[in-house]
Amino acid sequence: ILPVLPRLVKNAGFQPVKRQAYSIDFSYGADAHESFYEDLKIAFKLLQPFMLRWKTIDSAEELEKLYQQTLDEMQAEEFCACSPLLTVLGVKP
């Protein structure tokens, strides 16, 4: 959606359309890492019943193993992650 968002805003009648791209670094040791880790820790736990119900994974045991592996990898010094973000602004006349 990021590449087409400015066009969608313009097509909706907003002008001038301005955009600001940036990213958040969630890598180990980065400022945002700990809050990202805590948020994902909770979110993944809350999603587990849905994943089991939707049959996206075979068993609760397998899901718990993957959950723990994810948390372990996110706490490793080698963990790197970032999220691209885009703000699009415009005024509708």
Side-chain angles (χ1 to χ4, degrees), residues 51-52 55-63:
M51 295 174 78
L52 290 168
K55 308 273 189 230
T56 58
I57 198 155
D58 293 332
S59 69
E61 294 79 22
E62 183 180 356
L63 186 56

Side-chain angles (χ1 to χ4, degrees), residues 64-92:
E64 184 61 28
K65 181 180 173 185
L66 289 172
Y67 173 72
Q68 289 302 322
Q69 180 181 347
T70 300
L71 296 180
D72 291 345
E73 288 180 8
M74 289 178 67
Q75 291 294 64
E77 288 185 20
E78 298 82 20
F79 179 76
C80 296
C82 70
S83 179
L85 301 165
L86 178 67
T87 299
V88 179
L89 301 169
V91 175
K92 194 160 190 176

Side-chain angles (χ1 to χ4, degrees), residues 4-5 8-9 11 24 35 38:
V4 298
L5 189 56
L8 294 173
V9 171
N11 290 348
I24 299 176
S35 61
E38 292 299 326

Side-chain angles (χ1 to χ4, degrees), residues 14-61:
F14 292 86
Q15 342 172 340
V17 175
K18 297 181 182 181
R19 61 188 113 191
Q20 175 66 49
Y22 53 99
S23 68
I24 299 176
D25 183 4
F26 300 114
S27 301
Y28 183 86
D31 291 341
H33 176 264
E34 196 59 34
S35 61
F36 177 69
Y37 173 81
E38 292 299 326
D39 288 348
L40 281 181
K41 184 176 171 182
I42 294 166
F44 285 169
K45 189 53 89 171
L46 291 172
L47 284 172
Q48 285 181 358
F50 298 100
M51 295 174 78
L52 290 168
R53 190 175 313 137
W54 296 331
K55 308 273 189 230
T56 58
I57 198 155
D58 293 332
S59 69
E61 294 79 22

